Amino acid sequence: MTEKQQKILAVALELFAKEGYNAVPTKAIAEQADVSEALIFRHFKSKQGLLDALYQQCGERVQFVKNSVLEATEPNECLRRAIHWVFTIDEEEYDYWKLQYKLKWEDSFYDPNKMKDVIDKVTWAFEQLGYEQPAFEAQLLEKTLDSVMISMLRDGKQVHIHLREFLLKKYSL
């Protein structure tokens, strides 16, 4: 990828994460990236193509996080990793995660099964640890961490560290 393509993607990511995909015209991206609008279309074919390229990069980050949980072989380690991942995301990557959350509202990008493999793995961990309703525990943990992530993206990580400690203690980790 050329330096100009990287600059276009960086600017588009920042603007899409801040304002939303539909609110940002390619002209604004071009101006802020200091390129012509035609160059955006030459490299990415359309505004949708630009979003698709960013979505692919977001997917790579999500997969990296998922792999951490999926590779755990011990139930306690699985839960520990599931809880910790939210708090290990670098603040420099927040725009990728903000974009992920904004795209949850877009029908063409929303995938209700995106985290199913992680939820299944966490359910397995709760089963192994003898929880009465492991599937509900896994869903509750996933929804809790999802909410924590949204708050962290808005308010920063440090404000929420106490929730990580609470969850680790709650599950005796």
Side-chain angles (χ1 to χ4, degrees), residues 17-134:
K18 182 179 178 185
E19 300 174 28
Y21 171 74
N22 292 322
V24 178
T26 53
K27 182 178 181 180
I29 297 167
E31 287 173 1
Q32 194 164 327
D34 198 29
V35 299
S36 70
E37 206 172 0
L39 187 64
I40 292 174
F41 292 117
R42 185 175 326 132
H43 287 304
F44 299 99
K45 306 295 183 232
S46 65
K47 182 178 168 184
Q48 182 67 47
L50 184 56
L51 182 60
D52 290 342
L54 287 170
Y55 189 71
Q56 180 179 349
Q57 290 179 352
C58 291
E60 292 167 4
R61 283 161 173 79
V62 170
Q63 193 59 50
F64 178 78
V65 167
K66 288 171 62 171
N67 286 345
S68 170
V69 176
L70 296 173
E71 292 169 358
T73 58
E74 299 293 324
N76 282 337
E77 184 61 20
C78 176
L79 294 180
R80 190 177 296 106
R81 289 179 183 189
I83 292 168
H84 275 288
W85 81 263
V86 170
F87 299 93
T88 60
I89 293 171
D90 190 336
E91 290 183 25
E92 291 178 10
E93 299 221 335
Y94 276 16
D95 280 346
Y96 282 104
W97 294 94
K98 287 177 183 179
L99 181 58
Q100 282 287 321
Y101 279 90
K102 286 186 183 293
L103 292 176
K104 283 185 176 190
W105 294 99
E106 302 291 330
D107 289 340
S108 60
F109 286 94
Y110 177 65
D111 179 4
N113 295 312
K114 187 176 218 167
M115 298 299 285
K116 184 181 181 321
D117 51 352
V118 172
I119 293 169
D120 289 346
K121 181 72 174 206
V122 172
T123 298
W124 165 84
F126 282 124
E127 285 171 350
Q128 297 300 304
L129 294 170
Y131 278 76
E132 188 175 317
Q133 295 183 308

Side-chain angles (χ1 to χ4, degrees), residues 131 137 140 164-173:
Y131 278 76
E137 287 288 348
L140 178 62
R164 178 187 65 192
E165 301 311 313
F166 174 81
L167 289 169
L168 291 170
K169 185 175 179 182
K170 174 181 173 40
Y171 294 113
S172 301
L173 303 172

